Every structure is written in structure tokens, then in C-alpha cells.
Amino acid sequence: MKASKRIIHLPMITLVIVMVFSCAPERSGELTGDMPGPRAEVLFDFGWKFHRGDMQGAELPDFDDASWRSVDLPHDYSIEDIPGTDSPFDSSHTDGIDAGYLTNGTAWYRKSFMVPDKLRSKETSILFDGVYMNADVWLNGEHLGNHPYGYTAFGNDISDHLRYGEENVIAVEVKNEGENSRWYSGSGIYRHVYICITEPVHVARWGTGITTPVVNETFAKVVVSNTIVNELGEAEELNITTTILDPEGNEVARDTVNRTADADNNLEVLQELEIEDPGLWSPESPTLYVAVTEIGSAGSGILDRVEVNFGIRSIEYTTAGFFLNGENVLMKGGCMHHDNGPLGTAAYDRAEERRVELMKASGFNAIRCAHNPPSSAFLDACDRLGMLVIDESFDMWSRQKNPQDYHLYFKEWWKRDIESMVLRDRNHPSVIMWSIGNEIPERADPLGIETSKLMGDHVKKLDSTRPVTSAVNGLNPDKDAFFATLDLAGYNYAVEGDHWQDGIYQQDHERVPDRIIYCSESFPLTAYGSWMAVVDLPYVFGDFVWTGFDYLGEASIGWLGYLHRDNFYPWNHAFCGDLDICGQKRPQSYYRDVLWHHEEGTPVSIFVNPPTPTFEMIPDKEEWSRWNWHDLVADWNWDGYEGKILEVTVYCMYPEAELFLNGQSQGRKKTNRESQWIAKYQVPYQAGALKAVAYAGNLEKGSCVLSTAANVASIKLSADRDRINADGQDLSYVMVELLDQQGTLHPKADDLVSFSIVGPGSIAAVASSNPMSVESFQQPRRRAYQGRCMVIIKSGREAGTITLKAEAKGLTPVEIQISAET
């Protein structure tokens, strides 16, 4: 189909930063005054005191917090057991279904620290990457400020509030009160905290940006901008040198300029550099360079040194598709909330990285961060691993979705929160769109249209290299004026079934041929139709399923669905993700392997429709509520159903599939677009083995076996990483499986497994994929679900061997060792 003339050209080069810092963070958490260079970053996560509940006078430096619990960050107190109980869930909690029956409330954090007198001449600031929510911060009893939004980074210059050579006390009050979220938000200082120490002349926080007006395989023009702050009180003559290093550390470009920085003012410096034969960043090849900027003066030497990673790539959107580095790319997307399942919202670097790894391993090349900016660690992982990202700001604007949500703060705060998102994240190569909202209630009203225009213009002032979008539901012509304020149109739930022909996409394309569209949310049940629309319609460049990864809250939208007429307790998972809350592939993920022809996925898989529903159904579920998948299980253990017909579903990415029961063929069927790459069989149950074979002609291309399991005979432990960093925050995810004597997983085993740990580590969380379990995430025991559960081990700050022991009644205990290394 011929493209219209509307083209959004967005060539750019991007850098990857958490803050503009010159080195890896000092992880001791102490301000020693010994700086290896002109700039130091201190990870300020360790040694906090915590109290759940309100407390009078806790902001005062002499307040007695001796009885408070010691915690390290990141920390989510809503995932912890309710005091006096052995569970974090409360069936009567006001947030109920939305929060997954996990509780919120007010809490306090305090930390005492010494500041050496030798730092008196430096500039010192603190940065919180995320606190949920409504945080007030005090230093030595002085109120530094309030930050309402729980998803944007914020900070303060604390130089004038410090007591040098003495003990200092920082206090943070977190107020997560009332009904303020449609999903599990978590509570507390759940992302990293940093202290940054610089000279009075330095690069401002988020003050570095890099763009390229020209990018191709042979040449890239790089423009590096730096905002330099001069707090000396007098003008300073500066020389600014920027050097670019390739992934091997070789210098590939350098530029030096001389400028005068006026007293107590900001200096904007632009430098142009050229790189020959650049390695371009993409999901397949996420090449990262390093830009090193040094600020010097004749009298004082090097005043600041900033090192940042960056990736060179171009993006372009037209009605012919999305083009990355000139290549047409279809976005295989998943929406994701920000929680890390059993860890709650605690944004450990490894937890964030693991989610990206698992999404990529499941065939996704794009993630929509729903419905808020993610942690810096998450975007760093996307940059490093190669994942496209829609960075989204808000779930609501001026009109509420819940009584205590962000609409209370929007008018006063939206500009600051947009600036925090864009300036912090503008340099990540993974970020390819800015989304200013999701399903905004006022999207069809003059107020919403005006607000969208204001927000889009403000985003473009901060970063003109990416398009602005919003996810819109209620797809009718009355949204035309709203869409006209956006560069890209995000359509939520545009496809209602397997067939998309003559649907809303084609109708709107005929009405508004210049509109560039993508599916910002789709139902799992419409996977086939949603993806075929992307394949067939060039002006629809991607599909983002709700959701890629399962999450806490919106309890049971993937089974009981909407409307929420009753208390759905004990449901607490959404139960709609391609990956479950432990990161295991669910049946729809295996289907997406064949739908996308994911080369590294599973070419053929077998699932069974159980003879009775897996969970209790409700009779009045709304027909439009389609966040569920078909009731399918990888289970061939059906005692009592011998000889009875069971429906077996085979997903196959090759032209034909054949199913065998105990060696007897059940037929060979075509698996292609016409059959939606699905073959279904009616099979009389007989214990033994189902085997599916995929064929291309007469060539066998893959197979899958589903066997009947005997009684559980052993426990198997498997760690995703047997070596972790002894930094007090690294994680190893240990999968626990209950097997029969032949090593077959028992899909109905629900034994209670107990755990103990020895060595320089701790159990950070336990979990299973049971969406109705109200067990503790933190007690050292867990009941298996479908034969599995999981333990997350966190390293201490000393090297050594960590030994995890698992035992269950009637089974031999087993151990696994993890090496914590410095």
C-alpha cells in the first residue's frame, strides 16, 4: 500500500545514564571524602531505619529511632507481612482488587551519616530515583521539600544543610494513603538513592544530551550538549573536552572548546563530533559507546569528568511503518507494570534486568512501560540487552480514576514530572517514544485536547528527537481532535476477535490517511487478529499485548475479568501475562512463539484443556473482558478420566504437526495462517506420553513431549546464576521443581517446601505462580503450584559461598550453592 506523505524523521544518537556521573557508584554508602576524581557518586541504599505507621517528631535529628527496624534499599513495605500476621494480604483493604489486597499506608525512613569536613568546599546533592508516594524529605530537621508522584526521580542540593565533621540525619516520610492506583503500586523508597559530590563548577543533573543530525552505516555526526553550572561566585575560564570511545575502549572522536562560565549561572555548551563506520544500536546488536566529557580550568585543573554510555541509531515513523536505522521493524510488544512480583516494587538492578531478559527470550522486541516512567535500572537493562521502549508518564490527568490518585497534583506538578522523565531518560537508545498518558478520561473534551497539546509541546522543547504518543480507548471519531495533537496514535483494543478486516484500522485510515497507528494494548485472546493486522497493514507498525509479564493487582482480570461486582479475594495476581509472576512462560507465550515465528522460541508445544475448569468461573463476566487465555495446562495426569475424551491443543510454527499418544498417531494436521498455527485433537485419556512433532515437508523440525508423572520422588533446584556480586543487592533466582523418579515434573504437586540458608546471603523472597495464594513472600517456606515454586537469594556484602537447602515431607533434602564474589 502506498504511504502517505506524512513522515516523522527522528535520526538521533543516544546515551545511557542513570545520573550524569563519572564513575560506577561507591557502594559503601559512606561519605569518606576520598574522591578518586572531581566527581563522586555514592549509592545511599544501606543502613536505613524504618517504621511502618505515622510517628510524631520523626523528622527531628535527635528523635530516638533505636527501636526501628534496620533496612536496606530498595524497599517496598506493602509486600511485607502485615505486622502481627504471616501474610501481606488483607481481604478488607480499601484498595481491594486494584492493589491485589496488599495494603498501603504511611511509613518513615531515617538514616544517620557523617560528612567529612574536607567536603565543605564541594557541592553535594541527593537523588531519589523513585518513592511511592507523596514523600516529604528532611535533613537535620530542615524540610527539603515534598514530591507527590511516586514514579519520577527527584533530588535536592543539600550542601547548605549539611553539618560537616558531624553526624547528619535524613528523614523521609512516605504517605501512600487511600485509593490512588488501579494496580499494585508498592510503597516506600523502592528505587535507588544516590549522593552526588562535585566541584562548584560541574555538569548539571541530567545536563548531558547527545543527538545526531546524521546517522548511517558509514558515518554519524554527534552533537553533545552539556549544561554546566558555576557556583564559584566568580567567572571561570573553562576548556571542555569530549572524547568518544568505541565498545573496545578505543578513541574514535575528540573535540575541545573554550568557554567562559559566568558566576552563579548556567553555561550551555554544544560540541560536534564525527564517527566513521559506527556500530548502530538495535535489538539485534545493542552496541554501546562511551562519551567522556572533562571540564578543566587553567588554575584548578580538572573540575568535572562525566562518562556516559550511548548508542547510535536513527528512528523514523511513516504510514509505511517504523524504521530503525533505515530497516522496517514490526514492534512485537508487551505492556508491563513496574512490580517485580514477589519482591514487590523493589527495583533491584538484577530483578529489572531479568524481566527484560525473559521478555526478549520470549520473542518481544518492545515494551510499553505502563503507565509510568520505569526505574533507571530498567532502562539501562533495555539499552544493554536491546529492547525498544515506550516511556509513559501518567495514567490520568485532571480527572480522577481513583479518589486519591495523581489528579490531585496534576495541575501543579505535570511539567516538573514530565521534565524529570524526559531529562532523565532522553538519552537511552532504547526509548523510542514518549507517551503522555493512558486512557485519559478527558481525551474527547476540549480540556483534554488542550492539555495534550500543552504537554506535547513541552516534551518537544525538552527532546525533539522522539515522537509523542498516548494510548487511547473508546476509538471513535470524537477522538480525532485528540489524536491530532499527537505524532503517533496509540489504539487500545482495536481488534475484537480473530478477524480485523474492515475494522477500525481500515476505517480510520480511510478517514485520516496520514495517521500513523500502533496497537498500544491488545487482549491476549485476540493475539492472532492483532498480529495479523500488523503484518498486513503497513500503517499499523506494532502490537502491545496486555500484558507481557504478569503483575500484582487488578486481581483476576485474566480469569474472573470485569466488572468488579464482588470481592475477588483471595485472587491477587492479574493472571493475564504471557509470563507468570515467577517469569515462567504461560500457554499464550508458547502460542506467540509460533505466531511470531520466534526463531529462538519453542517450535511446537502441547497443552490440554482440563476436564473441569482450573478455577471457579463466574456467570456474569462481561463479554468484552478478554484479558484471559484459553484454559490450557501442560498436564497429562488425569486419574479417573481414563478413556474419556480430552481436547489437546498443539501450537506449531511449521506447516504441519502430528500428535502421538503412546506412539500411536492421532493424525497429521496443517498448521499455517489459515489454521492460526493451531492443531486441535480429541484424545481419549490414557496415561503415558503425548508427543507432538513439527514438519516442514517430510523433514522433522522439532518435537515436544508431555508425559504422565508418577508420585513425587525428589526436589530439583536450578539457579539462573550461580555466581553473583557480593554487593548487598545482587540476586539469584532459584527454581524449585518436584519430580518423579524419571525426572518428570509433577504438574499437580503442591507440597510445602521449606528453605534455610547459610553463608553471606539471605532469602529476599519466595513465590509460586498460584494467583490465589495468600502465603507470605518473605517466610522461608512456600507451597508448590503445578509442581514449582521459587526462591530469590540476595547477596550480602561479603564474599563467600551461599548454600540454600530445600526440604519437603517425605523427600530427601537438597542443596544448591551460589558463589558471592567481589
Coordinates of all heavy atoms in Angstrom, one line a residue, residues 75-102:
H75 N 13.3 -0.8 48.9 CA 12.4 -1.4 49.9 C 11.0 -1.1 49.6 O 10.6 0.1 49.4 CB 12.8 -0.8 51.3 CG 12.0 -1.4 52.4 ND1 11.1 -0.5 53.1 CD2 11.9 -2.6 52.9 CE1 10.5 -1.3 54.0 NE2 11.0 -2.5 54.0
D76 N 10.2 -2.1 49.6 CA 8.7 -2.0 49.5 C 8.0 -2.6 50.7 O 8.1 -3.8 50.9 CB 8.3 -2.7 48.2 CG 6.8 -2.8 48.0 OD1 6.0 -2.1 48.8 OD2 6.3 -3.5 47.1
Y77 N 7.4 -1.7 51.5 CA 6.8 -2.3 52.7 C 5.4 -2.9 52.5 O 5.0 -3.6 53.4 CB 6.8 -1.2 53.8 CG 6.1 0.1 53.6 CD1 4.7 0.2 53.7 CD2 6.9 1.2 53.3 CE1 4.1 1.5 53.6 CE2 6.2 2.5 53.1 CZ 4.9 2.6 53.2 OH 4.3 3.8 53.1
S78 N 4.8 -2.6 51.4 CA 3.5 -3.2 51.1 C 3.6 -4.7 50.8 O 2.6 -5.4 51.0 CB 2.8 -2.5 50.0 OG 2.3 -1.2 50.4
I79 N 4.8 -5.2 50.4 CA 4.9 -6.6 50.1 C 5.3 -7.4 51.3 O 5.2 -8.7 51.3 CB 6.0 -6.8 49.0 CG1 5.8 -8.1 48.3 CG2 7.4 -6.7 49.6 CD1 4.6 -8.2 47.4
E80 N 5.6 -6.7 52.4 CA 5.9 -7.4 53.7 C 4.7 -7.9 54.4 O 3.6 -7.3 54.2 CB 6.7 -6.4 54.6 CG 8.0 -6.0 54.0 CD 8.8 -5.1 54.9 OE1 8.2 -4.5 55.8 OE2 10.0 -4.9 54.7
D81 N 4.8 -8.9 55.3 CA 3.7 -9.4 56.1 C 3.1 -8.2 56.9 O 3.9 -7.4 57.5 CB 4.2 -10.5 57.0 CG 4.6 -11.7 56.2 OD1 4.3 -11.8 55.0 OD2 5.2 -12.6 56.8
I82 N 1.8 -8.2 57.0 CA 1.2 -7.2 57.8 C 1.6 -7.5 59.3 O 1.6 -8.6 59.7 CB -0.4 -7.3 57.7 CG1 -0.8 -7.0 56.3 CG2 -1.1 -6.4 58.7 CD1 -2.2 -7.3 55.9
P83 N 2.0 -6.5 60.0 CA 2.5 -6.7 61.4 C 1.5 -7.5 62.2 O 0.3 -7.3 62.2 CB 2.7 -5.3 62.0 CG 3.0 -4.5 60.8 CD 2.2 -5.0 59.6
G84 N 2.0 -8.6 62.9 CA 1.2 -9.4 63.7 C 0.6 -10.6 62.9 O -0.2 -11.4 63.5
T85 N 0.9 -10.7 61.6 CA 0.4 -11.8 60.8 C 1.5 -12.4 60.0 O 2.6 -12.0 60.0 CB -0.7 -11.3 59.8 OG1 0.0 -10.6 58.7 CG2 -1.7 -10.3 60.4
D86 N 1.2 -13.5 59.3 CA 2.2 -14.2 58.4 C 1.7 -14.1 57.0 O 2.0 -14.9 56.2 CB 2.3 -15.6 58.8 CG 1.0 -16.4 58.8 OD1 0.0 -15.8 58.4 OD2 1.1 -17.6 59.1
S87 N 1.1 -12.9 56.6 CA 0.7 -12.7 55.2 C 0.6 -11.2 55.0 O 0.3 -10.4 55.9 CB -0.7 -13.3 55.0 OG -1.2 -13.0 53.7
P88 N 0.9 -10.8 53.7 CA 0.8 -9.4 53.4 C -0.6 -9.0 52.9 O -0.9 -7.8 52.6 CB 1.8 -9.2 52.3 CG 1.8 -10.5 51.6 CD 1.5 -11.6 52.6
F89 N -1.6 -9.9 52.8 CA -2.9 -9.7 52.2 C -3.9 -9.4 53.3 O -3.9 -10.0 54.4 CB -3.3 -10.9 51.4 CG -2.3 -11.2 50.2 CD1 -1.3 -12.2 50.4 CD2 -2.3 -10.4 49.1 CE1 -0.5 -12.4 49.3 CE2 -1.4 -10.7 48.0 CZ -0.5 -11.7 48.2
D90 N -4.9 -8.5 52.9 CA -6.0 -8.2 53.7 C -7.2 -8.1 52.9 O -7.4 -7.3 52.0 CB -5.7 -6.8 54.4 CG -6.9 -6.3 55.3 OD1 -7.9 -7.1 55.4 OD2 -6.7 -5.3 55.9
S91 N -8.2 -9.0 53.1 CA -9.4 -9.2 52.3 C -10.3 -7.9 52.4 O -11.1 -7.7 51.5 CB -10.1 -10.4 52.7 OG -10.6 -10.3 54.0
S92 N -10.1 -7.2 53.5 CA -11.0 -6.0 53.7 C -10.3 -4.7 53.3 O -10.9 -3.6 53.5 CB -11.4 -5.9 55.1 OG -10.3 -5.7 56.0
H93 N -9.1 -4.7 52.7 CA -8.4 -3.5 52.4 C -9.2 -2.7 51.4 O -9.8 -3.2 50.4 CB -7.0 -3.8 51.8 CG -6.2 -2.6 51.6 ND1 -5.9 -1.7 52.6 CD2 -5.6 -2.1 50.5 CE1 -5.1 -0.7 52.1 NE2 -4.9 -1.0 50.8
T94 N -9.1 -1.3 51.5 CA -9.9 -0.5 50.7 C -9.6 -0.5 49.2 O -10.4 -0.4 48.3 CB -9.8 1.0 51.2 OG1 -8.4 1.4 51.2 CG2 -10.4 1.2 52.5
D95 N -8.3 -0.7 48.9 CA -7.9 -0.8 47.5 C -8.2 -2.2 46.9 O -8.3 -2.3 45.7 CB -6.3 -0.6 47.4 CG -6.0 0.9 47.1 OD1 -7.0 1.7 47.0 OD2 -4.8 1.2 47.1
G96 N -8.5 -3.2 47.7 CA -9.0 -4.5 47.3 C -8.4 -5.0 46.0 O -7.2 -5.3 45.9
I97 N -9.3 -5.2 45.0 CA -8.9 -5.8 43.8 C -7.8 -5.1 43.1 O -6.9 -5.7 42.6 CB -10.2 -5.9 42.8 CG1 -11.2 -6.9 43.4 CG2 -9.8 -6.3 41.4 CD1 -12.5 -6.9 42.7
D98 N -7.9 -3.7 43.1 CA -6.9 -2.9 42.4 C -5.5 -3.2 42.9 O -4.5 -3.4 42.1 CB -7.2 -1.5 42.5 CG -8.3 -1.0 41.6 OD1 -8.8 -1.8 40.7 OD2 -8.8 0.1 41.8
A99 N -5.3 -3.3 44.2 CA -4.0 -3.5 44.8 C -3.7 -4.9 45.0 O -2.7 -5.3 45.6 CB -3.9 -2.7 46.1
G100 N -4.6 -5.8 44.6 CA -4.4 -7.3 44.9 C -4.5 -7.6 46.4 O -3.8 -8.5 46.8
Y101 N -5.2 -6.8 47.1 CA -5.5 -7.0 48.5 C -4.2 -6.8 49.4 O -4.1 -7.2 50.5 CB -6.1 -8.3 48.8 CG -7.4 -8.4 48.1 CD1 -7.6 -9.1 46.9 CD2 -8.6 -7.9 48.7 CE1 -8.8 -9.2 46.2 CE2 -9.8 -7.9 48.0 CZ -9.9 -8.6 46.8 OH -11.1 -8.6 46.1
L102 N -3.2 -6.2 48.8 CA -2.0 -5.8 49.5 C -2.2 -4.4 50.1 O -3.0 -3.6 49.5 CB -0.8 -5.8 48.6 CG -0.4 -7.2 48.2 CD1 0.4 -7.2 46.9 CD2 0.5 -7.9 49.3

